[in-house]
Amino acid sequence: MQITLTDVAKKAETSVSTVSRALDGHPAISSETIERVRQIADDMRYRRVRSQRRANPAKGVLAGRTIGLLSLGLDQSLVSMPVTTEAFRGAQDALVEAGAKSHVFHMPDLSQLPVGFRTDRMDGLILTGPKFPQFAAASDTPALKQLRQLPTVWVVCDPPKAWGDSVVAADFEVGYGAAERLVASGHRNLAFLNPVPDNLMFARREDGFLSAARRLGVDVKCFCRSPAAGWHLPIETPLVAFEPVQLLVDQILASQPRRTAIFAASDSVAALVYCALGIRGLRVGHDISVIAANNTPGLLSVPYPHLATFDIQARTMGTVSVRQLATQISDKQGDKHIPIQVVLKPSFIPGESVCVLADSGSTQGR
């Protein structure tokens, strides 16, 4: 049986892209990791043969090409957010398997291309950006006009006036599913908490939550911070601050009839909700329920009780974006590509943060 790069990555407990770069002695990879990966590869008798990669359906289109992964209009601190990082990692791994080269750039200023970035050296782009209305007003720049000339796929977020294809989460379905889960657990007085109403992703989740709650005949109220008049690009951290969340939690607790469950716009918002409730002596999953979305890597192991959330498949988005880019490049060669949006269905991750009320008729609390 032939050993593949994926086999080595599993044994080394790291990504395919890291293994590939380690075997190449890439300067971004530590000497310890390079030595460890090379030793594992030798022990497994892995040999880097070009024909090994041809099984990938994108191989014939992307092999030998150079693909740029860019974040647009985001402060560096937001680029490192786990969901974005996971999506880019998924894309990088898929590009390695397809035999393509990838380079990551950050472009916080939409009027200026990143240092070292040249469109004539790129065969395609995988982009992400802020899902804020302000992007549309700031996107008419000569720099972005250059980017528009290249085959493009947006991943996780496709801002207003985005071009090309996109691979995103079914945010309406996330909100809809959150309401269904809460109602199934016996909750009849629901709250949606959003400290960043300008975020169009959060707004879409709110739409889904309200739609399901009203269809199911339960009482639902939205608690949102007033839209900020001063948002400007690049969008900077912290997008979500504790004080606004704390004020919204106080409004929820004072609401009549009493809210028994909160749908937080994201896991990061939910983490702050946990803190606000804890300060007030309330126990999540006992005194009040909390549900969220994103399945943020590294975050869900921190709060207790464990957060019930929806996995939006961030890494898979990255993988699918590469496949979509290959399709777009292939179609473009025949001048027949029609831009499409690929929407990935979320999956529910149970947690102890949602309690079952006595009148739910359910036997489980998640």
Side-chain angles (χ1 to χ4, degrees):
M1 176 175 150
Q2 194 172 44
I3 301 299
T4 67
L5 202 65
T6 301
D7 296 327
V8 178
K10 287 181 179 179
K11 182 71 173 178
E13 297 183 344
T14 188
S15 67
V16 173
S17 59
T18 297
V19 168
S20 177
R21 284 180 285 183
L23 294 175
D24 287 335
H26 195 284
I29 307 299
S30 69
S31 58
E32 294 81 3
T33 299
I34 290 175
E35 183 178 352
R36 183 172 66 86
V37 168
R38 286 178 174 175
Q39 185 61 54
I40 291 173
D42 287 344
D43 292 343
M44 297 178 71
R45 298 191 178 186
Y46 168 74
R47 294 293 178 267
R48 305 187 79 181
V49 181
R50 282 189 174 272
S51 59
Q52 280 184 250
R53 291 178 176 173
R54 290 180 183 168
N56 190 306
K59 172 72 175 179
V61 177
L62 296 181
R65 294 182 183 268
T66 300
I67 307 301
L69 282 71
L70 280 80
S71 64
L72 305 185
L74 296 172
D75 179 73
Q76 178 70 39
S77 55
L78 287 181
V79 175
S80 60
M81 293 284 284
V83 171
T84 302
T85 301
E86 282 294 292
F88 272 19
R89 283 176 180 168
Q92 286 179 300
D93 288 350
L95 288 168
V96 167
E97 286 296 306
K101 299 177 183 178
S102 65
H103 298 285
V104 179
F105 297 91
H106 305 300
M107 187 175 168
D109 183 354
L110 300 187
S111 67
Q112 185 174 352
L113 292 173
V115 175
F117 179 89
R118 288 180 53 177
T119 54
D120 61 342
R121 294 182 178 177
M122 296 291 161
D123 298 295
L125 301 173
I126 294 175
L127 307 179
T128 194
K131 199 142 186 175
F132 280 68
Q134 289 80 355
F135 185 90
S139 63
D140 188 21
T141 69
L144 288 195
K145 287 179 181 177
Q146 291 186 56
L147 297 186
R148 289 174 184 270
Q149 304 306 309
L150 292 168
T152 300
V153 178
W154 293 83
V155 64
V156 180
C157 288
D158 54 338
K161 282 201 172 179
W163 62 94
D165 296 344
S166 61
V167 182
V168 297
D171 289 305
F172 184 91
E173 189 171 333
V174 166
Y176 204 95
E180 288 186 320
R181 292 280 174 176
L182 293 175
V183 173
S185 294
H187 296 276
R188 296 294 179 267
N189 297 291
L190 311 181
F192 175 73
L193 189 153
N194 178 14
V196 193
D198 312 69
N199 188 317
L200 301 179
M201 177 189 293
F202 290 178
R204 191 64 175 154
R205 292 175 181 179
E206 177 184 357
D207 291 342
F209 190 68
L210 293 177
S211 177
R214 289 166 180 165
R215 181 185 68 81
L216 295 169
V218 300
D219 184 43
V220 58
K221 290 184 179 180
C222 295
F223 298 83
C224 300
R225 184 185 186 187
S226 298
W231 282 121
H232 58 85
L233 300 182
I235 300 297
E236 299 179 351
T237 192
L239 274 178
V240 182
F242 180 62
E243 184 179 353
V245 171
Q246 187 172 224
L247 292 173
L248 294 175
V249 167
D250 283 340
Q251 293 174 21
I252 290 173
L253 297 178
S255 176
Q256 295 297 328
R258 176 181 173 271
R259 306 292 111 182
T260 63
I262 299 171
F263 173 39
S266 69
D267 296 338
S268 58
V269 174
L272 296 179
V273 170
Y274 268 59
C275 293
L277 292 171
I279 290 173
R280 286 148 185 78
L282 297 175
R283 292 174 293 171
V284 173
H286 185 275
D287 299 310
I288 191 167
S289 293
V290 178
I291 193 170
N294 283 359
N295 191 31
T296 305
L299 180 63
L300 300 187
S301 60
V302 177
Y304 184 83
H306 297 303
L307 179 64
T309 189
F310 284 84
D311 187 355
I312 62 172
Q313 318 291 346
R315 185 178 283 264
T316 302
M317 283 188 211
T319 302
V320 174
S321 71
V322 170
R323 190 186 324 157
Q324 192 58 34
L325 186 64
T327 300
Q328 186 179 150
I329 290 174
S330 178
D331 287 353
K332 187 163 182 141
Q333 290 172 347
D335 196 27
K336 59 182 180 179
H337 182 76
I338 299 174
I340 66 170
Q341 182 181 74
V342 179
V343 181
L344 300 190
K345 292 175 67 66
S347 60
F348 182 63
I349 308 297
E352 295 82 19
S353 62
V354 175
C355 64
V356 176
L357 299 186
D359 62 350
S360 69
S362 174
T363 58
Q364 282 197 325
R366 306 175 195 182

